[in-house]
Coordinates of all heavy atoms in Angstrom, one line a residue:
M173 N 0.8 -1.2 0.0 CA 0.0 0.0 0.0 C 0.9 1.3 0.0 O 1.8 1.3 0.7 CB -0.9 0.0 1.2 CG -1.7 1.3 1.3 SD -2.6 1.5 2.9 CE -4.0 0.4 2.5
D174 N 0.6 2.2 -0.9 CA 1.3 3.4 -1.0 C 1.0 4.3 0.2 O -0.1 4.4 0.8 CB 0.9 4.2 -2.2 CG 1.5 3.6 -3.5 OD1 2.4 2.8 -3.4 OD2 1.1 4.1 -4.5
K175 N 2.0 5.0 0.7 CA 1.9 6.1 1.6 C 1.8 7.4 0.8 O 2.8 7.7 0.1 CB 3.1 6.2 2.6 CG 3.3 4.9 3.4 CD 4.6 5.0 4.2 CE 4.9 3.6 4.7 NZ 6.2 3.5 5.2
V176 N 0.7 8.1 0.8 CA 0.5 9.3 -0.1 C 0.8 10.5 0.7 O 0.3 10.7 1.9 CB -0.9 9.3 -0.6 CG1 -1.1 10.5 -1.5 CG2 -1.2 8.0 -1.4
F177 N 1.6 11.4 0.1 CA 2.0 12.7 0.8 C 1.6 13.8 -0.2 O 2.1 13.8 -1.4 CB 3.5 12.7 1.1 CG 3.9 11.6 2.0 CD1 4.5 10.5 1.4 CD2 3.7 11.6 3.3 CE1 4.9 9.4 2.2 CE2 4.1 10.6 4.1 CZ 4.7 9.4 3.6
Y178 N 0.9 14.8 0.3 CA 0.5 15.9 -0.5 C 1.3 17.1 -0.1 O 1.2 17.5 1.1 CB -1.0 16.2 -0.4 CG -1.9 15.1 -1.0 CD1 -2.3 14.1 -0.2 CD2 -2.2 15.1 -2.4 CE1 -3.1 13.1 -0.7 CE2 -3.0 14.1 -2.9 CZ -3.4 13.1 -2.0 OH -4.2 12.1 -2.5
I179 N 2.0 17.8 -1.0 CA 2.8 18.9 -0.6 C 2.4 20.1 -1.5 O 2.5 20.1 -2.7 CB 4.4 18.6 -0.8 CG1 4.7 17.4 0.0 CG2 5.2 19.8 -0.5 CD1 6.1 16.9 -0.2
D180 N 1.8 21.1 -0.7 CA 1.3 22.3 -1.4 C 2.4 23.3 -1.6 O 3.0 23.8 -0.6 CB 0.2 22.9 -0.6 CG -0.5 24.1 -1.2 OD1 -0.1 24.5 -2.3 OD2 -1.4 24.7 -0.6
L181 N 2.7 23.7 -2.8 CA 3.8 24.6 -3.1 C 3.4 26.0 -3.4 O 4.2 26.9 -3.8 CB 4.6 24.1 -4.3 CG 5.3 22.7 -4.2 CD1 6.0 22.3 -5.5 CD2 6.2 22.7 -3.0
A182 N 2.1 26.3 -3.2 CA 1.5 27.6 -3.4 C 2.2 28.8 -2.7 O 2.5 29.9 -3.3 CB 0.0 27.7 -3.2
E183 N 2.7 28.6 -1.5 CA 3.3 29.6 -0.7 C 4.8 29.5 -0.6 O 5.4 30.3 0.1 CB 2.7 29.6 0.7 CG 1.2 29.8 0.8 CD 0.8 31.1 0.3 OE1 1.5 32.1 0.5 OE2 -0.3 31.2 -0.5
V184 N 5.4 28.6 -1.3 CA 6.8 28.3 -1.2 C 7.5 29.4 -2.1 O 7.3 29.5 -3.3 CB 7.2 26.9 -1.7 CG1 8.7 26.8 -1.9 CG2 6.7 25.9 -0.7
A185 N 8.4 30.2 -1.5 CA 9.1 31.3 -2.2 C 10.6 31.2 -2.1 O 11.3 31.9 -2.9 CB 8.6 32.6 -1.6
T186 N 11.1 30.3 -1.3 CA 12.6 30.2 -1.1 C 12.9 28.7 -1.0 O 12.1 27.9 -0.6 CB 13.0 30.9 0.2 OG1 12.5 30.3 1.3 CG2 12.7 32.4 0.1
P187 N 14.2 28.3 -1.2 CA 14.6 27.0 -0.9 C 14.3 26.6 0.5 O 13.9 25.4 0.8 CB 16.1 27.0 -1.2 CG 16.3 28.1 -2.3 CD 15.3 29.1 -1.9
E188 N 14.5 27.5 1.4 CA 14.3 27.2 2.9 C 12.8 26.9 3.1 O 12.4 26.0 3.9 CB 14.8 28.4 3.7 CG 16.2 28.6 3.7 CD 16.7 29.4 2.5 OE1 15.9 30.0 1.8 OE2 17.9 29.3 2.2
G189 N 11.9 27.6 2.4 CA 10.5 27.4 2.5 C 10.1 26.0 2.0 O 9.3 25.3 2.5
L190 N 10.7 25.7 0.9 CA 10.5 24.3 0.3 C 10.9 23.2 1.3 O 10.2 22.3 1.6 CB 11.2 24.1 -1.0 CG 11.2 22.7 -1.5 CD1 9.8 22.3 -1.9 CD2 12.2 22.5 -2.7
Q191 N 12.1 23.5 1.9 CA 12.6 22.4 2.8 C 11.7 22.4 4.1 O 11.4 21.3 4.6 CB 14.0 22.8 3.2 CG 15.0 22.5 2.1 CD 15.1 21.1 1.7 OE1 14.9 20.1 2.5 NE2 15.5 20.9 0.4
A192 N 11.1 23.5 4.5 CA 10.2 23.5 5.6 C 8.9 22.7 5.3 O 8.4 21.9 6.2 CB 9.9 25.0 6.0
E193 N 8.5 22.8 4.1 CA 7.3 22.0 3.7 C 7.6 20.6 3.7 O 6.8 19.8 4.1 CB 6.7 22.5 2.3 CG 6.0 23.8 2.3 CD 4.7 23.7 3.2 OE1 3.9 22.7 3.0 OE2 4.5 24.6 4.0
L194 N 8.7 20.2 3.1 CA 9.2 18.8 3.1 C 9.2 18.2 4.5 O 8.7 17.1 4.7 CB 10.5 18.7 2.4 CG 10.5 19.0 0.9 CD1 11.9 19.0 0.3 CD2 9.6 18.1 0.1
V195 N 9.8 19.0 5.4 CA 10.0 18.5 6.8 C 8.6 18.4 7.4 O 8.3 17.4 8.2 CB 10.8 19.5 7.6 CG1 10.7 19.2 9.1 CG2 12.3 19.4 7.2
K196 N 7.7 19.2 7.1 CA 6.3 19.2 7.7 C 5.5 18.0 7.1 O 4.8 17.4 7.9 CB 5.6 20.6 7.4 CG 4.2 20.7 7.9 CD 3.7 22.1 7.8 CE 2.9 22.1 6.5 NZ 2.2 23.4 6.2
E197 N 5.6 17.7 5.9 CA 4.8 16.8 5.2 C 5.3 15.3 5.1 O 4.5 14.4 4.9 CB 4.4 17.3 3.8 CG 3.6 18.6 3.9 CD 2.3 18.5 4.6 OE1 1.7 17.4 4.8 OE2 1.9 19.6 5.1
L198 N 6.6 15.2 5.1 CA 7.2 13.9 4.8 C 7.8 13.3 6.1 O 8.2 14.1 7.0 CB 8.3 14.0 3.8 CG 8.0 14.4 2.4 CD1 9.2 14.5 1.5 CD2 7.0 13.3 1.8
P199 N 7.8 12.0 6.3 CA 8.4 11.4 7.5 C 9.9 11.3 7.4 O 10.5 10.3 7.2 CB 7.8 10.0 7.5 CG 7.6 9.7 6.1 CD 7.2 11.0 5.5
L200 N 10.5 12.5 7.5 CA 12.0 12.6 7.4 C 12.7 12.3 8.7 O 12.1 12.7 9.8 CB 12.3 14.0 6.9 CG 11.7 14.3 5.5 CD1 12.0 15.8 5.2 CD2 12.3 13.4 4.4
P201 N 13.9 11.8 8.7 CA 14.5 11.5 9.9 C 15.0 12.8 10.6 O 15.1 13.8 10.0 CB 15.8 10.6 9.5 CG 16.0 11.0 8.0 CD 14.6 11.3 7.5
D202 N 15.2 12.7 11.9 CA 15.6 13.9 12.7 C 16.9 14.5 12.2 O 17.2 15.7 12.3 CB 15.8 13.6 14.2 CG 14.5 13.2 14.9 OD1 13.4 13.7 14.4 OD2 14.6 12.5 15.9
Y203 N 17.8 13.7 11.6 CA 19.1 14.2 11.1 C 19.0 14.7 9.7 O 20.0 15.0 9.1 CB 20.1 13.1 11.2 CG 19.7 11.8 10.4 CD1 20.0 11.7 9.0 CD2 19.1 10.7 11.0 CE1 19.7 10.6 8.3 CE2 18.8 9.6 10.3 CZ 19.1 9.6 8.9 OH 18.7 8.5 8.2
Y204 N 17.8 14.8 9.1 CA 17.7 15.3 7.7 C 18.4 16.7 7.6 O 18.1 17.6 8.3 CB 16.2 15.5 7.4 CG 15.9 16.1 6.0 CD1 16.3 15.4 4.9 CD2 15.3 17.3 5.9 CE1 16.0 15.9 3.6 CE2 15.0 17.8 4.6 CZ 15.4 17.1 3.5 OH 15.2 17.7 2.3
G205 N 19.2 16.8 6.5 CA 20.1 18.0 6.3 C 19.4 19.2 5.7 O 20.1 20.1 5.5
Q206 N 18.2 19.0 5.3 CA 17.4 20.2 4.7 C 18.1 20.7 3.5 O 18.3 21.9 3.4 CB 17.1 21.2 5.7 CG 16.2 20.7 6.8 CD 15.5 21.8 7.6 OE1 15.3 22.9 7.1 NE2 15.0 21.4 8.7
N207 N 18.5 19.9 2.5 CA 19.0 20.3 1.3 C 18.7 19.2 0.3 O 18.2 18.1 0.6 CB 20.5 20.5 1.3 CG 21.3 19.3 1.7 OD1 21.3 18.3 1.0 ND2 22.0 19.4 2.9
L208 N 18.9 19.4 -1.0 CA 18.5 18.5 -2.1 C 19.3 17.2 -2.0 O 18.7 16.1 -2.3 CB 18.6 19.1 -3.4 CG 17.6 20.3 -3.7 CD1 17.7 20.8 -5.1 CD2 16.1 19.9 -3.4
D209 N 20.5 17.2 -1.7 CA 21.3 16.0 -1.6 C 20.7 15.1 -0.4 O 20.6 13.8 -0.6 CB 22.7 16.2 -1.3 CG 23.5 16.8 -2.5 OD1 23.1 16.6 -3.6 OD2 24.5 17.5 -2.2
A210 N 20.4 15.7 0.7 CA 19.7 14.9 1.8 C 18.4 14.4 1.4 O 18.1 13.2 1.8 CB 19.6 15.8 3.0
L211 N 17.6 15.1 0.6 CA 16.4 14.7 0.2 C 16.5 13.4 -0.8 O 15.8 12.4 -0.6 CB 15.6 15.8 -0.6 CG 14.2 15.3 -1.2 CD1 13.3 14.9 -0.1 CD2 13.6 16.5 -2.0
Y212 N 17.4 13.5 -1.6 CA 17.7 12.4 -2.6 C 18.1 11.1 -1.7 O 17.6 10.0 -2.0 CB 18.8 12.7 -3.5 CG 19.1 11.5 -4.4 CD1 18.4 11.3 -5.6 CD2 20.2 10.6 -4.2 CE1 18.6 10.2 -6.4 CE2 20.4 9.5 -5.0 CZ 19.7 9.3 -6.1 OH 19.9 8.3 -6.9
D213 N 18.9 11.3 -0.7 CA 19.3 10.2 0.2 C 18.1 9.6 0.8 O 17.9 8.3 0.9 CB 20.3 10.6 1.2 CG 21.7 11.0 0.6 OD1 21.9 10.6 -0.6 OD2 22.5 11.6 1.3
V214 N 17.2 10.4 1.4 CA 16.0 9.9 2.1 C 15.1 9.2 1.1 O 14.6 8.1 1.4 CB 15.3 11.0 2.8 CG1 13.9 10.5 3.3 CG2 16.1 11.6 4.0
L215 N 14.9 9.8 -0.1 CA 14.0 9.1 -1.1 C 14.5 7.8 -1.5 O 13.7 6.9 -1.7 CB 13.8 10.1 -2.3 CG 13.1 11.4 -2.0 CD1 13.1 12.2 -3.3 CD2 11.7 11.1 -1.5
T216 N 15.8 7.7 -1.7 CA 16.4 6.4 -2.2 C 16.5 5.3 -1.1 O 16.5 4.2 -1.4 CB 17.7 6.6 -3.0 OG1 18.6 7.3 -2.1 CG2 17.5 7.4 -4.2
E217 N 16.6 5.8 0.1 CA 16.8 4.9 1.2 C 15.4 4.5 1.9 O 15.3 3.3 2.3 CB 17.7 5.5 2.3 CG 19.1 5.7 1.9 CD 20.0 6.5 2.8 OE1 19.5 6.8 3.9 OE2 21.1 6.8 2.5
S218 N 14.4 5.4 1.9 CA 13.2 5.1 2.6 C 12.0 5.3 1.8 O 10.9 5.1 2.3 CB 13.1 6.1 3.8 OG 14.3 6.0 4.6
G219 N 12.1 5.7 0.5 CA 10.9 6.1 -0.3 C 10.2 5.0 -0.9 O 9.2 5.3 -1.6
D220 N 10.6 3.8 -0.8 CA 9.9 2.7 -1.4 C 8.4 2.7 -0.8 O 8.2 2.7 0.4 CB 10.5 1.3 -1.1 CG 10.1 0.2 -2.0 OD1 9.8 0.5 -3.2 OD2 9.9 -0.9 -1.5
G221 N 7.5 2.7 -1.7 CA 6.0 2.7 -1.3 C 5.5 4.1 -1.1 O 4.3 4.3 -0.8
W222 N 6.3 5.1 -1.3 CA 5.8 6.5 -1.2 C 5.2 7.0 -2.5 O 5.7 6.7 -3.6 CB 7.0 7.5 -0.8 CG 7.5 7.3 0.6 CD1 7.2 6.3 1.5 CD2 8.4 8.2 1.3 NE1 7.9 6.5 2.7 CE2 8.6 7.7 2.6 CE3 9.0 9.3 0.9 CZ2 9.5 8.3 3.5 CZ3 9.9 10.0 1.8 CH2 10.0 9.5 3.1
N223 N 4.2 7.8 -2.4 CA 3.5 8.5 -3.5 C 3.5 10.0 -3.1 O 2.6 10.3 -2.3 CB 2.2 7.9 -3.7 CG 1.4 8.5 -4.9 OD1 2.0 9.4 -5.6 ND2 0.3 8.0 -5.2
I224 N 4.4 10.7 -3.7 CA 4.5 12.1 -3.3 C 3.8 13.0 -4.4 O 4.2 12.9 -5.6 CB 5.9 12.6 -3.1 CG1 6.6 11.7 -2.0 CG2 6.0 14.1 -2.8 CD1 8.1 11.9 -1.9
I225 N 2.9 13.8 -4.0 CA 2.2 14.7 -5.0 C 2.5 16.1 -4.6 O 2.1 16.6 -3.6 CB 0.7 14.4 -5.0 CG1 0.5 12.9 -5.4 CG2 -0.1 15.4 -5.9 CD1 -0.9 12.4 -5.1
F226 N 3.2 16.8 -5.4 CA 3.4 18.3 -5.3 C 2.4 19.0 -6.1 O 2.2 18.6 -7.3 CB 4.8 18.7 -5.9 CG 6.0 18.2 -5.1 CD1 6.7 17.0 -5.5 CD2 6.5 18.9 -4.0 CE1 7.7 16.5 -4.8 CE2 7.5 18.5 -3.3 CZ 8.2 17.3 -3.7
Y227 N 1.6 19.9 -5.5 CA 0.6 20.6 -6.2 C 0.8 22.1 -6.1 O 1.5 22.5 -5.2 CB -0.8 20.1 -5.9 CG -1.2 20.4 -4.4 CD1 -2.0 21.4 -4.1 CD2 -0.8 19.5 -3.4 CE1 -2.4 21.6 -2.8 CE2 -1.2 19.7 -2.1 CZ -2.0 20.8 -1.8 OH -2.4 21.0 -0.5
N228 N 0.2 22.9 -6.9 CA 0.4 24.3 -7.1 C 1.9 24.5 -7.4 O 2.5 25.6 -6.9 CB 0.0 25.1 -5.8 CG -1.5 25.0 -5.6 OD1 -2.2 25.2 -6.6 ND2 -2.0 24.9 -4.4
A229 N 2.5 23.7 -8.2 CA 3.9 23.7 -8.5 C 4.3 24.9 -9.3 O 5.5 25.4 -9.3 CB 4.4 22.5 -9.1
K230 N 3.4 25.5 -10.1 CA 3.7 26.6 -11.0 C 4.2 27.8 -10.2 O 5.1 28.5 -10.6 CB 2.5 27.0 -11.8 CG 1.4 27.6 -11.1 CD 0.2 27.8 -12.0 CE -1.1 28.2 -11.2 NZ -2.2 28.4 -12.1
F231 N 3.7 28.0 -8.9 CA 4.2 29.1 -8.1 C 5.6 28.9 -7.7 O 6.4 29.8 -7.8 CB 3.2 29.2 -6.9 CG 1.8 29.5 -7.2 CD1 0.9 28.5 -7.1 CD2 1.4 30.7 -7.8 CE1 -0.5 28.7 -7.5 CE2 0.1 30.9 -8.1 CZ -0.9 29.9 -7.9
A232 N 5.9 27.7 -7.2 CA 7.3 27.4 -6.8 C 8.2 27.4 -8.0 O 9.4 27.9 -7.9 CB 7.4 26.1 -6.1
Q233 N 7.8 27.0 -9.1 CA 8.6 27.0 -10.3 C 9.0 28.4 -10.7 O 10.2 28.6 -11.0 CB 7.9 26.3 -11.5 CG 8.7 26.3 -12.8 CD 7.8 25.7 -13.9 OE1 6.6 25.8 -14.0 NE2 8.5 25.0 -14.8
Y234 N 8.1 29.3 -10.6 CA 8.3 30.7 -10.9 C 9.3 31.3 -9.9 O 10.2 32.0 -10.2 CB 7.0 31.5 -11.0 CG 7.2 32.9 -11.2 CD1 7.6 33.5 -12.4 CD2 7.0 33.8 -10.1 CE1 7.8 34.9 -12.5 CE2 7.2 35.1 -10.2 CZ 7.5 35.7 -11.4 OH 7.8 37.1 -11.5
R235 N 9.1 31.1 -8.6 CA 9.7 31.7 -7.6 C 11.2 31.1 -7.3 O 12.1 31.8 -6.9 CB 9.0 31.6 -6.2 CG 7.7 32.5 -6.3 CD 6.9 32.3 -5.0 NE 5.7 33.0 -5.1 CZ 4.5 32.4 -4.7 NH1 4.5 31.3 -4.0 NH2 3.4 33.1 -4.8
L236 N 11.3 29.8 -7.5 CA 12.5 29.1 -7.2 C 13.5 28.9 -8.4 O 14.7 28.6 -8.2 CB 12.2 27.7 -6.6 CG 11.5 27.7 -5.2 CD1 11.2 26.3 -4.8 CD2 12.2 28.5 -4.2
G237 N 12.9 29.0 -9.6 CA 13.8 28.9 -10.8 C 14.6 27.6 -10.8 O 14.1 26.5 -10.9
K238 N 15.9 27.8 -10.8 CA 16.9 26.6 -11.0 C 16.8 25.7 -9.8 O 17.0 24.5 -10.0 CB 18.3 27.2 -11.2 CG 18.5 27.9 -12.5 CD 19.9 28.3 -12.7 CE 20.1 29.1 -14.0 NZ 21.5 29.5 -14.2
Y239 N 16.5 26.1 -8.7 CA 16.3 25.3 -7.5 C 15.1 24.3 -7.7 O 15.2 23.1 -7.4 CB 16.1 26.1 -6.2 CG 16.3 25.2 -5.0 CD1 17.6 25.0 -4.4 CD2 15.2 24.8 -4.3 CE1 17.7 24.2 -3.3 CE2 15.4 24.0 -3.1 CZ 16.6 23.8 -2.7 OH 16.8 23.0 -1.5
F240 N 14.1 24.9 -8.3 CA 12.9 24.0 -8.6 C 13.3 23.0 -9.7 O 12.9 21.8 -9.6 CB 11.7 24.9 -9.1 CG 10.5 24.1 -9.4 CD1 9.6 23.7 -8.3 CD2 10.2 23.7 -10.7 CE1 8.4 22.9 -8.6 CE2 9.1 22.9 -11.0 CZ 8.2 22.6 -10.0
D241 N 14.0 23.4 -10.7 CA 14.4 22.5 -11.7 C 15.3 21.4 -11.2 O 15.1 20.3 -11.6 CB 15.3 23.3 -12.8 CG 14.4 24.3 -13.6 OD1 13.2 24.2 -13.6 OD2 15.0 25.2 -14.2
A242 N 16.2 21.7 -10.3 CA 17.0 20.7 -9.6 C 16.1 19.7 -8.8 O 16.4 18.5 -8.8 CB 18.1 21.4 -8.7
L243 N 15.1 20.3 -8.1 CA 14.2 19.4 -7.4 C 13.5 18.4 -8.3 O 13.4 17.2 -8.0 CB 13.1 20.2 -6.6 CG 12.0 19.5 -6.0 CD1 12.5 18.6 -4.8 CD2 10.9 20.4 -5.6
C244 N 13.0 18.9 -9.4 CA 12.3 18.0 -10.4 C 13.3 16.9 -10.9 O 12.9 15.8 -11.0 CB 11.8 18.8 -11.6 SG 10.4 19.9 -11.1
R245 N 14.5 17.3 -11.3 CA 15.5 16.4 -11.8 C 15.8 15.4 -10.7 O 15.8 14.2 -11.0 CB 16.7 17.2 -12.2 CG 17.8 16.4 -12.9 CD 18.9 17.3 -13.5 NE 19.4 18.3 -12.7 CZ 19.0 19.6 -12.8 NH1 18.2 20.0 -13.8 NH2 19.5 20.5 -12.0
L246 N 16.0 15.8 -9.5 CA 16.3 14.9 -8.4 C 15.2 13.9 -8.2 O 15.4 12.7 -8.0 CB 16.5 15.7 -7.1 CG 16.6 15.0 -5.7 CD1 17.6 15.8 -4.8 CD2 15.2 14.8 -5.1
C247 N 13.9 14.4 -8.2 CA 12.8 13.5 -8.0 C 12.7 12.5 -9.1 O 12.4 11.3 -8.9 CB 11.5 14.3 -7.9 SG 11.3 15.2 -6.4
R248 N 12.9 12.9 -10.4 CA 12.9 12.0 -11.5 C 13.9 10.9 -11.3 O 13.7 9.7 -11.5 CB 13.1 12.8 -12.8 CG 12.9 12.0 -14.0 CD 12.9 12.9 -15.3 NE 14.0 13.9 -15.3 CZ 13.8 15.2 -15.1 NH1 12.6 15.8 -14.9 NH2 14.8 16.0 -15.2
E249 N 15.2 11.3 -10.9 CA 16.2 10.3 -10.7 C 15.9 9.4 -9.6 O 16.2 8.1 -9.7 CB 17.6 11.0 -10.5 CG 18.1 11.8 -11.7 CD 19.2 12.6 -11.5 OE1 19.8 12.7 -10.3 OE2 19.6 13.3 -12.4
A250 N 15.4 9.9 -8.5 CA 15.1 9.0 -7.3 C 14.0 8.0 -7.7 O 14.1 6.8 -7.4 CB 14.7 9.8 -6.2
A251 N 13.0 8.4 -8.4 CA 11.9 7.6 -8.9 C 12.4 6.5 -9.8 O 11.9 5.4 -9.8 CB 10.8 8.4 -9.5
E252 N 13.4 6.8 -10.6 CA 14.0 5.8 -11.5 C 14.8 4.7 -10.7 O 14.9 3.6 -11.0 CB 14.9 6.4 -12.5 CG 14.1 7.2 -13.6 CD 15.1 8.0 -14.5 OE1 16.4 8.0 -14.3 OE2 14.5 8.7 -15.4
D253 N 15.4 5.2 -9.6 CA 16.2 4.4 -8.8 C 15.5 3.5 -7.7 O 16.0 2.5 -7.3 CB 17.3 5.2 -8.0 CG 18.3 5.8 -8.9 OD1 18.5 5.4 -10.0 OD2 19.0 6.7 -8.5
V254 N 14.3 3.9 -7.4 CA 13.5 3.2 -6.3 C 12.3 2.6 -7.0 O 11.5 3.4 -7.6 CB 13.1 4.2 -5.2 CG1 12.3 3.4 -4.2 CG2 14.4 4.7 -4.5
H255 N 12.1 1.3 -6.9 CA 11.1 0.6 -7.6 C 9.7 1.1 -7.4 O 8.9 1.3 -8.4 CB 11.1 -0.9 -7.2 CG 10.0 -1.7 -7.7 ND1 9.8 -2.0 -9.0 CD2 8.9 -2.2 -7.0 CE1 8.6 -2.6 -9.2 NE2 8.1 -2.8 -8.0
D256 N 9.3 1.4 -6.1 CA 7.9 1.8 -5.9 C 7.8 3.2 -5.3 O 7.1 3.4 -4.3 CB 7.3 0.7 -4.9 CG 5.8 0.8 -4.9 OD1 5.2 1.3 -5.8 OD2 5.2 0.4 -3.8
L257 N 8.6 4.1 -5.9 CA 8.5 5.5 -5.5 C 7.8 6.3 -6.6 O 8.3 6.2 -7.8 CB 9.9 6.1 -5.2 CG 10.0 7.6 -5.0 CD1 9.2 8.0 -3.8 CD2 11.5 8.0 -4.9
K258 N 6.8 7.0 -6.3 CA 6.0 7.8 -7.3 C 6.1 9.3 -6.9 O 5.8 9.5 -5.7 CB 4.6 7.4 -7.5 CG 4.4 5.9 -7.9 CD 3.0 5.5 -7.9 CE 2.9 4.1 -8.1 NZ 1.9 3.4 -7.3
I259 N 6.5 10.1 -7.8 CA 6.5 11.5 -7.5 C 5.9 12.3 -8.7 O 6.3 12.1 -9.8 CB 8.0 12.0 -7.2 CG1 8.6 11.2 -6.1 CG2 8.0 13.5 -6.9 CD1 10.1 11.5 -5.9
R260 N 4.9 13.1 -8.4 CA 4.3 13.9 -9.4 C 4.2 15.3 -9.1 O 4.0 15.7 -7.9 CB 2.9 13.3 -9.7 CG 2.9 11.9 -10.3 CD 1.5 11.3 -10.3 NE 1.2 10.8 -9.0 CZ 0.0 10.4 -8.6 NH1 -1.0 10.4 -9.5 NH2 -0.2 10.0 -7.4
F261 N 4.2 16.1 -10.1 CA 4.1 17.6 -10.0 C 2.9 18.0 -10.7 O 2.7 17.7 -11.9 CB 5.3 18.3 -10.5 CG 6.5 18.1 -9.7 CD1 7.4 17.0 -9.8 CD2 6.9 19.1 -8.8 CE1 8.5 16.8 -9.1 CE2 8.1 19.0 -8.0 CZ 8.9 17.8 -8.2
Y262 N 2.0 18.8 -10.1 CA 0.8 19.3 -10.8 C 0.9 20.9 -10.7 O 1.1 21.4 -9.6 CB -0.5 18.9 -10.1 CG -0.7 17.4 -10.3 CD1 -0.4 16.5 -9.3 CD2 -1.3 17.0 -11.4 CE1 -0.6 15.2 -9.5 CE2 -1.5 15.6 -11.6 CZ -1.2 14.7 -10.7 OH -1.4 13.4 -10.9
M263 N 0.9 21.4 -11.8 CA 1.1 22.9 -12.0 C -0.2 23.6 -11.5 O -0.2 24.7 -11.0 CB 1.4 23.3 -13.3 CG 2.8 22.7 -13.8 SD 4.0 23.1 -12.6 CE 5.5 22.9 -13.6

């Protein structure tokens, strides 16, 4: 059974804001480093069975620019590496 996580990006304006949303919505370990490398590590180590849905992504895409692009690339790579990890972005 999938563990479904909904992450609203409508109010995310900074990388720190994105990381705060991730900490709030995902079951991340206490030692989570609050950066994209740490997110990739968690997704590939613990993300099996996770279904992550980012919504209102157009706002974060506009505000975060290259950081958002890096997040999307990281999520795509993690989903390729983990058999039962699903990550989707809805604009």
